[in-house]
C-alpha cells in the first residue's frame, strides 16, 4: 500500500466516501442504536462527517510530501569533501498504525484516524470502543469494496482491555493513535514508550467558557447558546464541550438565569423522536458516574439550579440537563471531566482570576472567550494553556491542528496536520 501511486490512494479514499454515503440508510440506524445519539445527530453528523473526512484525505493523498531545502555550501572535513550540498525533507509512512477510538462518534473518530493514515501509505489496525463496535466493523466491507487491498485496514474488537493492550504492545505496530480518557491514555503512553512507538493522544477536556465583563447583550446570548450545547449536543459526551462557564461577577446572575431557562426548555426523551434534544448516555455505568459527580457537588455546597434528578424515562440511561452554580475551582465537579450534560458555573472578579481558574485543571483541550472586543479576546487567548480557543463561537474549523496541552494529549491532527501526524520526516542529502 505504501508503494501505490498517491493518485490511486486518493481514488480509493474518494470511493470510500461515496460508499459511506450510499450505505447511510443502513449505517445511521445502527449508529443511533449503538450510541444512543438522537436521530438528528446520527443522520447529520455521524455518517456524513465520516464521509467528509475520507474525501478530505483523498485530496490529502495528493498534497506534496517533499519539502525542498536550499543548497548550502559546506566546507571540507575529515568526514567528506566540501561543496554545495542539496537536501530535501520527505514525509514517509510510519508503518502499521493502531487506532483505538472512543464511543461518542465511533466511525467519525475512526475516519479521522484511518483516512489520513491510509492517505500517507500506512496500514491500520482499528480497535473500536467496546460499547459500540458494530458500525466500525461495517467499515471493513465498505473499504474492501472501495478497492483497498486486503490487510490494509483491519478491525479487532474486545469487551475488555486485553485487545487494546495487545495492540499497543505488539512489536509489529509502529504507532498508536488513541482517543479517550486521560487515565487510559497514560497507560497506553507508558506501554508504547517501552518500544519507542510513536503516539498521537487525543484525551479528555474540561473546557472553560469565559464571559468577560465587556460582553454586551448579544455576546451574552451567544455565550448562553454556546454553553447550552453541553446539554443539547450528544448529551455532553464531547471532550471539547464548554462544561465550565466562568462569568464576570457583574454578569453572573444574568448568565445563570439564561442557562437555567435554556436547560429547562430542552426536550428529554426517546432519541428516535425528532422532537428530542437530549437523549440518553451510552451506558448505566456512565449515567451512575455522572450522577455521583452531581451528588458530590451538592454535598460540597454547590447549588443545583437545573436538573440534578434522574428523569423517569425507560429504556435508556438518562441524565437531565444539569446546571451547577456557585461552585469553587477546588470542587471535584469543577476539575474532572464528567462526559455528560452538566455545566458548572463560577464567577470571577478580574481577568487574572479568570485565567487562573481556566488554567487550574490538569486539562487543556478547548477553551472559549466571549467578549464584545474580538481583539481583547485574542489577547486573552494567548494566556490560556489550551490547544484550541474559540472566540465568540463553539464552531470548529476543519483545517486547524487539533489536540491539547497538559493531560489533554500529545500531538495534533486535522487538515494537513493529520498527514503530518501519520508520517515520519526523512532527510535526503546529496552533493550538487
Amino acid at each position: 500500500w505504501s508503494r501505490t501511486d498517491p493518485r490511486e490512494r486518493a481514488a480509493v479514499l474518494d470511493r470510500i466516501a461515496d460508499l459511506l454515503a450510499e450505505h447511510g440508510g443502513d449505517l445511521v440506524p445502527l449508529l443511533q442504536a449503538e450510541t444512543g445519539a438522537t436521530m438528528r445527530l446520527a443522520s447529520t453528523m455521524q455518517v456524513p462527517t465520516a464521509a467528509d473526512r475520507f474525501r478530505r484525505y483523498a485530496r490529502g493523498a495528493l498534497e506534496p510530501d517533499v519539502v525542498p531545502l536550499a543548497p548550502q555550501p559546506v566546507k571540507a572535513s575529515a568526514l567528506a569533501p566540501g561543496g554545495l550540498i542539496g537536501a530535501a525533507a520527505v514525509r514517509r509512512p510510519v508503518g502499521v498504525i493502531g487506532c483505538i477510538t472512543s464511543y461518542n462518534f465511533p466511525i467519525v473518530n475512526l475516519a479521522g484516524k484511518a483516512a489520513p493514515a491510509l492517505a500517507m501509505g500506512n496500514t491500520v489496525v482499528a480497535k473500536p470502543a467496546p460499547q459500540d463496535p458494530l458500525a466500525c466493523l461495517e467499515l471493513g466491507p465498505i473499504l474492501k469494496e472501495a478497492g483497498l487491498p486486503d490487510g490494509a485496514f483491519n478491525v479487532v474488537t474486545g469487551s475488555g482491555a486485553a485487545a487494546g493492550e495487545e495492540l499497543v504492545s505488539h512489536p509489529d505496530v509502529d504507532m498508536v493513535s488513541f482517543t479517550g480518557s486521560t487515565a487510559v491514555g497514560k497507560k497506553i503512553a507508558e506501554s508504547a514508550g517501552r518500544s519507542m512507538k510513536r503516539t498521537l493522544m487525543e484525551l479528555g477536556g474540561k473546557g472553560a467558557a469565559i464571559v468577560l465583563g465587556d460582553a454586551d447583550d448579544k455576546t451574552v446570548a451567544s455565550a448562553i447558546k454556546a454553553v447550552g450545547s453541553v446539554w443539547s449536543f450528544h448529551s455532553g459526551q464531547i471532550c471539547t464541550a464548554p462544561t465550565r462557564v466562568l462569568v464576570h461577577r457583574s454578569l453572573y446572575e444574568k448568565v445563570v438565569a439564561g442557562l437555567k431557562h435554556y436547560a429547562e426548555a430542552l426536550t428529554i426523551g426517546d432519541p428516535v423522536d425528532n422532537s428530542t434534544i437530549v437523549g440518553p448516555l451510552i451506558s448505566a455505568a456512565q449515567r451512575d458516574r455522572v450522577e455521583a459527580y452531581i451528588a458530590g457537588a451538592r454535598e460540597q455546597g454547590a447549588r443545583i439550579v437545573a436538573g440534578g434528578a434522574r428523569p423517569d424515562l425507560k429504556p435508556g440511561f438518562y441524565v437531565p440537563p444539569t446546571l451547577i452554580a456557585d461552585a469553587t475551582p477546588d470542587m471535584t465537579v469543577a476539575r474532572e471531566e464528567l462526559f455528560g450534560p452538566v455545566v458548572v458555573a463560577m464567577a470571577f472578579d478580574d481577568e487574572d482570576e479568570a485565567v487562573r481558574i481556566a488554567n487550574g485543571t490538569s486539562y487543556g483541550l478547548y477553551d472559549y472567550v466571549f467578549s464584545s472586543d474580538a481583539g481583547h479576546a485574542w489577547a486573552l487567548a494567548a494566556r490560556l494553556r489550551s490547544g484550541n480557543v474559540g472566540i465568540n463561537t463553539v464552531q470548529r474549523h476543519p483545517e486547524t491542528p487539533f489536540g491539547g496541552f497538559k493531560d489533554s494529549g500529545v500531538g495534533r491532527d486535522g487538515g494537513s496536520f493529520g498527514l503530518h501526524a501519520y508520517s515520519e520526516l526523512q532527510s535526503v542529502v546529496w552533493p550538487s
Side-chain angles (χ1 to χ4, degrees), residues 16 36 47 87 110 141 148 166 168 184 194 210 286 331:
I16 292 169
V47 178
L110 182 51
L148 194 70
E166 180 67 19
V168 173
V184 174
R194 296 190 187 103
I210 303 173
Q286 181 61 15
M331 288 183 181

Side-chain angles (χ1 to χ4, degrees), residues 35 60 73 145 165 184-185 216 337 363 413:
T35 62
E145 183 181 348
E165 289 172 351
V184 174
D216 58 19
E337 183 180 42
Y363 298 105
D413 64 2

Side-chain angles (χ1 to χ4, degrees), residues 7-218:
R7 290 170 295 184
E8 181 181 339
R9 297 202 293 269
V12 170
L13 293 173
D14 255 334
R15 180 64 178 145
I16 292 169
D18 291 340
L19 288 171
L20 279 171
E22 290 176 19
H23 288 272
D26 296 324
L27 286 173
V28 167
L30 176 60
L31 282 159
Q32 189 285 315
E34 282 198 288
T35 62
T38 62
M39 186 58 77
R40 181 184 294 108
L41 187 144
S43 60
T44 61
M45 299 194 69
Q46 294 273 16
V47 178
T49 303
D52 287 345
R53 291 188 171 183
F54 276 104
R55 210 173 300 286
R56 166 61 182 88
Y57 289 106
R59 301 194 305 273
L62 302 177
E63 291 183 26
D65 58 7
V66 177
V67 181
L69 304 173
Q72 294 281 331
V74 178
K75 293 181 180 179
S77 70
L79 183 64
L84 193 62
I85 303 298
V90 187
R91 293 203 169 275
R92 307 293 193 193
V94 180
V96 178
I97 314 293
C99 296
I100 303 175
T101 55
S102 58
Y103 66 71
N104 53 350
F105 285 88
I107 68 167
V108 170
N109 192 261
L110 182 51
K113 298 177 184 299
L118 293 169
M120 281 303 309
N122 301 285
T123 59
V124 170
V125 182
K127 164 61 177 66
Q131 295 93 336
D132 49 11
L134 299 181
C136 293
L137 283 166
E138 290 298 320
L139 285 182
I142 290 173
L143 271 60
K144 181 181 177 67
E145 183 181 348
L148 194 70
D150 287 347
F153 177 80
N154 314 271
V155 183
V156 295
T157 62
S159 58
E165 289 172 351
E166 180 67 19
L167 185 61
V168 173
S169 63
H170 199 284
D172 289 338
V173 174
D174 301 287
M175 174 180 169
V176 176
S177 177
F178 171 71
T179 298
S181 72
T182 295
V184 174
K186 288 181 176 180
K187 293 179 181 178
I188 289 173
E190 181 180 356
S191 176
R194 296 190 187 103
S195 56
M196 294 304 293
K197 284 182 172 60
R198 277 47 181 155
T199 58
L200 176 65
M201 296 285 174
E202 297 178 357
L203 307 179
K206 191 68 176 174
I210 303 173
V211 183
L212 299 181
D214 66 7
D216 58 19
D217 288 346
K218 180 180 178 182

Side-chain angles (χ1 to χ4, degrees), residues 210-257:
I210 303 173
V211 183
L212 299 181
D214 66 7
D216 58 19
D217 288 346
K218 180 180 178 182
T219 305
V220 167
S222 176
I224 289 170
K225 185 176 181 180
V227 173
S229 69
V230 174
W231 303 315
S232 61
F233 189 71
H234 210 2
S235 300
Q237 296 171 111
I238 306 291
C239 57
T240 59
T243 53
R244 294 180 295 160
V245 56
L246 317 182
V247 189
H248 190 270
R249 198 168 298 278
S250 64
L251 297 171
Y252 180 72
E253 291 301 336
K254 180 178 183 178
V255 171
V256 168

